[in-house]
Amino acid sequence: MIRHKQQSTLDPKYVKEKLESFFKEDNIEKDITTKATQKSSTTVQAFFIAKEDLIFAGKEIIIQAFNGCSINQIQEDGEQIKKGEPLAMLSGPINNILKKERVVLNLLQRLSGIASATQELAKITGPLNIQLLDTRKTTPGLRAFEKFAVFVGGGTNHRFSLKDSV
């Protein structure tokens, strides 16, 4: 029985706000490496490639992070991706892609890792009629993202904060 609201989507506005905060923390506007090595007018294609089999979680992160780029292909959240397959392909200004890619990759790796691990556990608990629940004990600032990843992986979100239940 599911008693709590499920984090079944990531709100685009929320993702955009969080990314802006993460990019500010990383000081992307003063990326000295990209500025020193790349021409801002250069347009490139970027490929996000799976390094292992995984359950993808993070489509909205890519969409919001690279809103100044053309997204030519992107996987759906919850898709089973094989090692070597693309998660997304995009094109746009090299400086826009390079200064944001590490923050985005870190989030995609974390969320896809959570979704993948959750699915493995759900395969074990599901046939036994055991509901796999997450907790509110998440990484500060990433709760909505991590709860979304659990949902994508086939788990069930338990309470979101201390006010939700006892």
Side-chain angles (χ1 to χ4, degrees), residues 118-133 154-155:
T118 300
Q119 186 183 73
E120 288 302 311
L121 293 171
K123 285 179 184 176
I124 296 167
T125 60
L128 300 172
N129 202 27
I130 298 170
Q131 190 177 23
L132 181 62
L133 299 174

Side-chain angles (χ1 to χ4, degrees), residues 43-47 72 89-92 97:
T43 300
V44 296
Q45 278 194 309
F47 298 84
N72 305 318
M89 294 183 283
L90 52 105
S91 57
I97 293 170

